[in-house]
Amino acid sequence: MAAQFGRRVVKGAATTAVAAVAVAALSASQAPGVTDTAQGRQSTGSQPSSDPDADNSATGNSPYYTDLPPLNSPTPTPTTGTGTPTGTGEAEAGIPATVLDAYKKAEAALGESKPGCNLPWQLLAAIGKVESGQARGGRVDANGTTITPILGPVLNGNGFARITDTDGGAYDGDTTHDRAVGPMQFIPSTWEWSGRDGNGDGKKDPNNIYDAALAAGGYLCRFGWDLSDKADLRRAILSYNNSTHYLNTVLSWLEYYRKGTHEVPDGTGTLPSGRSDDNNGSSSSPTPTPTSPGTTPPSSQTPGGGGSTSPSPKPPTTTPPPSTPPTTPATPTDTVDHLEDAGTAKLTATAGDAFAEKIATRTETEAGKAVAKVRVRFTIVGDTDSVFNGGESVATVVTNSSGVATAPALKAGEKTGDFTVRATVVGRAVSGLDYKATVTARQADALARTGDTALTCVAGGEFADQVELKATYKGAAADGVEATATLIKAADDATANDKGPYFKDADGKTVRTLAGLKTDANGLLKLPKLYADDTAGTFLLRINTTGGATLTVELKVTAAPSSSPSPSAS
């Protein structure tokens, strides 16, 4: 895959020039509601949330880079002898070649699979900038995998949301708590269902920019959102990280990249400096030493929202440390003992239709008390092509104040039969709750010919008119309904006839039963041409559909005219 997705060389590469720090005026001009300090950090108190509801996002609401784009837009200008665009903001407008390629490939893929989403690659670039500084300035290998893992802080509730381990450390190396992973900073529980294979190597790796970019695009396009609509765009971004400051920062970079950008060699992209967890007031996460704008953060920090896993100690104080370490309060998830059905009705739908009922699950303590603000994951299990609204087979929902999580609406696929939707608690090892769902075949309760012309033929000839039918169900056109057409012996004998009219198969052989027929989008079914053997008489054609609709059509075959004898010579 290296040949297709590998790192590309840019002639006359730009040096890693440091862009000018955005001034306060930029906040008013590019991102209303966002302020800026001399260090490029938001100063509006955008601390990570420890609210248990905050983990209902792609990133677990992990910290992010807060640097804003340069005040001047990257207006394309003539290039210098180095082949690098000149002008203010050129360094920040540069995106590492492999990273940029991944964003554009993800846009193309989503353009085919979910054209109604209208995902722009610049949005992925904006999120990638804010989450990881474009994979640490493009520090990826030839296949797009980060040279070293990009990990967010430990989500242990100490200044951040608390999310206990959901992946056994498979993605983040932590078997106690979760951490956001990779250039697009997915938490493991979200990657488990949203992960994609973007570079075709057969793996879904959150540390690979092709996989992560495609997964991010799919995440932003769920729920049928149209990202060309401002309201849907805001919803999608906030679902990635539920912070107004995050939203404004991403929108600022989106607008900036839309005005122009260019490739730079991998590993030479600029690195942000301001982070949302700076000055968060946490006793266990002291404020890091301010860095100059555009420089690499100290080694104690992990770029890409990685947080400080080994922060520099605070200066000595006269106050002795507490004799016992502080305890982390239990989250609502920790109190869940079991799941209960919350009144889900029978789940049945006809193929291609939406299920009328939704699955509702309640999280409860051992004493049966409802627990709010718990993430419940609904997973479709079994041989089915049914999906949740938005096209996904997994959905995560936070319980409401009554402890109830209601799954998105289910849409039946074309495969009939039973499947299971399993509800589990994210971050808690309690038994799951299974719901049986059934998809029935499309049905018709009535069949009628679309014309009333008599169907007649001379023995040994072919019928001039083909039989066309319309199937309906409760008065509406029944599309996709399976049907069988048989030339029967008699009205009370549905056995296939051995004489009279017949169809021809692909090889031209006589057949008197056609199975696997299906009505079109308008409920119409046009049968193949009919032929007659040398037997004259009245014959019957019977059509049966799924759902019990039946129609019997009369066919008449007249004897061939006898040839007149030649007059004798006188």
Side-chain angles (χ1 to χ4, degrees):
M1 300 307 299
Q4 181 178 0
F5 295 99
R7 185 183 309 156
R8 291 177 289 167
V9 177
V10 180
K11 294 181 180 179
T15 59
T16 55
V18 178
V21 178
V23 293
L26 179 61
S27 302
S29 64
Q30 288 187 295
V34 181
T35 58
D36 190 77
T37 69
Q39 283 74 37
R41 298 189 297 268
Q42 294 170 358
S43 60
T44 55
S46 177
Q47 292 91 356
S49 172
S50 59
D51 185 341
D53 187 46
D55 60 11
N56 186 34
S57 67
T59 67
N61 291 351
S62 293
Y64 54 91
Y65 284 123
T66 59
D67 292 22
L68 292 172
L71 185 60
N72 294 331
S73 300
T75 305
T77 58
T79 58
T80 64
T82 62
T84 303
T86 61
T88 304
E90 66 182 43
E92 288 294 354
I95 299 178
T98 298
V99 177
L100 180 60
D101 185 52
Y103 296 151
K104 290 184 176 181
K105 279 186 167 59
E107 178 196 56
L110 269 299
E112 292 183 6
S113 62
K114 294 188 177 182
C117 177
N118 295 303
L119 170 76
W121 65 261
Q122 292 91 342
L123 176 58
L124 297 177
I127 291 176
K129 178 70 173 182
V130 170
E131 292 295 346
S132 68
Q134 311 297 17
R136 292 195 187 123
R139 294 188 66 241
V140 296
D141 64 19
N143 291 319
T145 303
T146 57
I147 303 299
T148 55
I150 300 175
L151 296 174
V154 177
L155 297 176
N156 57 8
N158 194 356
F160 312 106
R162 184 185 180 196
I163 306 178
T164 53
D165 178 59
T166 62
D167 66 329
Y171 295 119
D172 57 12
D174 192 323
T175 57
T176 304
H177 296 93
D178 274 351
R179 304 174 70 174
V181 182
M184 303 304 277
Q185 289 289 273
F186 280 93
I187 53 174
S189 60
T190 301
W191 182 262
E192 188 64 29
W193 63 266
S194 65
R196 299 289 188 274
D197 177 13
N199 64 351
D201 64 357
K203 298 184 294 184
K204 299 176 182 179
D205 183 2
N207 293 297
N208 182 278
I209 186 59
Y210 288 100
D211 295 359
L214 184 58
Y219 187 91
L220 295 166
C221 287
R222 72 199 195 287
F223 301 138
W225 282 330
D226 177 1
L227 301 184
S228 65
D229 178 82
K230 290 183 179 179
D232 279 358
L233 176 64
R234 291 174 63 88
R235 293 186 189 99
I237 296 172
L238 285 171
S239 78
Y240 210 89
N241 192 313
N242 190 20
S243 161
T244 301
H245 300 117
Y246 179 88
L247 169 69
N248 290 333
T249 306
V250 169
L251 289 175
S252 294
W253 283 106
L254 171 60
E255 182 66 19
Y256 181 76
Y257 287 136
R258 276 176 165 165
K259 292 179 180 178
T261 188
H262 58 275
E263 290 183 1
V264 297
D266 292 342
T268 66
T270 59
L271 290 175
S273 57
R275 287 162 36 85
S276 61
D277 58 339
D278 290 347
N279 297 317
N280 66 10
S282 170
S283 61
S284 64
S285 300
T287 304
T289 303
T291 58
S292 300
T295 59
T296 304
S299 59
S300 63
Q301 290 179 298
T302 302
S308 175
T309 56
S310 300
S312 301
K314 280 187 174 182
T317 63
T318 57
T319 303
S323 57
T324 58
T327 59
T328 303
T331 67
T333 301
D334 296 329
T335 68
V336 175
D337 176 75
H338 59 273
L339 295 173
E340 290 286 344
D341 176 42
T344 305
K346 186 177 181 180
L347 297 167
T348 303
T350 301
D353 292 345
F355 283 76
E357 299 295 330
K358 291 183 178 180
I359 296 172
T361 302
R362 184 171 55 253
T363 53
E364 296 184 355
T365 64
E366 186 176 4
K369 182 179 179 181
V371 185
K373 296 185 177 181
V374 173
R375 289 190 304 156
V376 175
R377 178 183 297 148
F378 297 95
T379 306
I380 296 175
V381 181
D383 183 18
T384 181
D385 54 353
S386 297
V387 294
F388 290 114
N389 183 31
E392 304 294 346
S393 60
V394 179
T396 301
V397 181
V398 177
T399 58
N400 60 20
S401 58
S402 299
V404 175
T406 302
L410 278 167
K411 180 175 173 57
E414 294 301 321
K415 291 184 178 180
T416 60
D418 297 335
F419 65 92
T420 299
V421 178
R422 181 164 298 149
T424 55
V425 177
V426 177
R428 182 74 170 163
V430 298
S431 298
L433 187 61
D434 287 351
Y435 295 85
K436 178 184 175 182
T438 302
V439 178
T440 59
R442 296 171 185 259
Q443 301 178 42
D445 55 15
L447 272 177
R449 282 189 63 197
T450 58
D452 55 6
T453 304
L455 299 169
T456 62
C457 178
V458 176
E462 61 183 52
F463 287 80
D465 297 310
Q466 289 177 247
V467 179
E468 185 178 63
L469 313 165
K470 182 166 185 176
T472 56
Y473 183 69
K474 296 182 179 179
D479 64 308
V481 175
E482 292 190 0
T484 300
T486 305
L487 291 148
I488 60 176
K489 288 185 176 181
D492 56 356
D493 185 355
T495 306
N497 212 334
D498 55 2
K499 59 184 177 180
Y502 61 91
F503 300 106
K504 290 182 180 180
D505 64 13
D507 297 325
K509 296 180 180 179
T510 297
V511 292
R512 290 190 169 89
T513 298
L514 294 177
L517 303 172
K518 187 173 290 187
T519 60
D520 66 12
N522 298 312
L524 298 175
L525 173 61
K526 193 170 188 177
L527 300 182
K529 185 180 287 292
L530 277 162
Y531 301 88
D533 62 13
D534 57 3
T535 307
T538 299
F539 300 90
L540 299 177
L541 169 65
R542 180 164 293 170
I543 302 96
N544 299 300
T545 69
T546 304
T550 300
L551 178 67
T552 302
V553 179
E554 189 175 87
L555 307 172
K556 290 186 176 181
V557 179
T558 59
S562 58
S563 56
S564 301
S566 302
S568 58
S570 56

